[in-house]
Amino acid sequence: MASHRALLFDGPGLPLEIRQRPTPPVGPNQVLIRIQACGVNPVDWKTADLGWCVTQWPATMGCDGAGVIVAVGSDVTRVRVGDRVFMNGWMDNPDTCTFQEYALMEDSMVGKIPDFMPIQEASGISMASFTAFVGLFHETGAEVPLPPNARAHVPEDSFLNYNHMDTGASENYQWPPDLSKFGWCITVLGGSSSVGQFMIQYARIAGFRKILTTASPSNHAYLRTLGATHCFDRTATASDIAAIASPTTFQASAVGTNQPQSTEYTPLVFDAIGSTQTATMGVDILSCLTPVPMSRILVSPSVEDIPTVVEDVDYRGIYALVGALWDLSLPYFIGMEEWLAAGEIVPNRIQVVGTVEQAHEALAMSRRGVSGVKLVMTMP
Ligand SMILES: NC(=O)c1ccc[n+]([C@@H]2O[C@H](COP(=O)([O-])OP(=O)(O)OC[C@H]3O[C@@H](n4cnc5c(N)ncnc54)[C@H](OP(=O)(O)O)[C@@H]3O)[C@@H](O)[C@H]2O)c1
């Protein structure tokens, strides 16, 4: 049986080593990708430390990756051998993980990389951008501004074609949803994080007129280029932010013509960090805003740090797994191909740490915390 090099470890906290693991056969609807670069996410060091999502030992890891297709299954028509693609591996299926030479993926769950884009930049796209995509469009019912080609691939029975009754979203939503219900305003806590940068860009192309964010001042200028309209230091108070996010201030600012009535306003905060501090800040901001007639929404990528329940704050955690959200994944990849090619969405700025042989250092850097960059490793 063929084998290839992979980053393996035998248990939580145990050394990460490059060893051989079997190269899987390619199924009819699958592609085999020679990974050339892989993005590092916080979930990777959490997996290394705690064994998160591991289903078998020795385990490998890595959700973000990009490379070249080297084999396709008999039924694959969407992509071909030689295409450069980015992908999102699933931790519970080691064949799809990206900290290894070859990764297996469904053909509908890869996105072609524009010719002009370096593979290292593309390798950090999928995890954070899919998380933001799910958070905004699945969890809130905000309208997905998919390009027509991507919209054509939305399955008939997808939630995207219905109202949001069965997705956990409020029954107050109607399809198509109207961003005036959010006051055309969204607050993204942690806009310089990988997830936050994509959230700001999706909010911009969705049509939000006011996009508030918190980040260190050194990142404010960059976040404005992505679409943020109001940047706050992380030390800003909830009332500072709510003063700008409130519908009264919005109406007074004379932005656009479709200004909401304050009674039709659902304050929306996206916590891109998922810490107790940011979740509490999100609740505090929402508590400053007038929540009638609908509830206030706090979306977060972490379901661990649910703050004290506040009446009318609807807390929605995200679990962004391309393999599980089948009706979103293909439209997401096709949409991203078009948005990236047109420059409407840009990848995170990257910092190349070294090769996957330096994974220990890359995970340590992620654990210590980064500022406004995506850590990337190359495959030697
Ligand atoms: N549920 C899912 O499916 C899913 C998927 C992906 C990620 N996640 C989770 O989402 C979170 C973010 O991941 P990521 O990869 O985007 O993180 P990241 O890029 O590593 O985050 C680093 C950034 O966080 C910012 N930051 C840290 N604390 C902050 C605070 N209190 N307020 C504002 N900004 C703060 C820093 O901002 P400054 O440097 O500007 O200060 C820095 O730029 C993690 O908890 C991750 O585990 C969940």
Side-chain angles (χ1 to χ4, degrees), residues 40-43 46 52 127-128 131 189-197 214-220 223 234 271-275 277-278 300-304 317-321 348 366 369-374:
V40 178
N41 286 283
V43 71
K46 293 172 187 173
W52 267 20
M127 185 74 175
T131 303
L189 299 177
S192 64
S193 67
S194 295
V195 174
Q197 291 180 37
T214 58
S216 292
S218 57
N219 289 318
H220 287 187
L223 297 182
R234 286 167 50 172
D271 170 12
I273 303 302
S275 68
Q277 187 265 325
T278 50
S300 170
S302 167
V303 289
E304 292 166 70
I318 307 167
Y319 186 54
L321 199 59
N348 291 172
S366 175
V370 295
S371 180
V373 291
K374 165 67 72 184

Side-chain angles (χ1 to χ4, degrees), residues 114-130:
D115 291 344
F116 63 81
M117 189 173 291
I119 206 113
Q120 287 96 334
E121 277 185 24
S123 73
I125 290 173
S126 66
M127 185 74 175
S129 66
F130 193 64

Side-chain angles (χ1 to χ4, degrees), residues 8 21 45 53 88 98 117 119 126 134 146 224 248 287 291 310 328 334 357 378:
L8 294 174
R21 75 177 295 272
W45 61 259
C53 306
N88 188 225
T98 58
M117 189 173 291
I119 206 113
S126 66
V134 171
L146 285 169
R224 285 198 181 90
T248 306
S287 300
V310 173
L328 274 184
I334 294 175
E357 284 158 351
T378 56

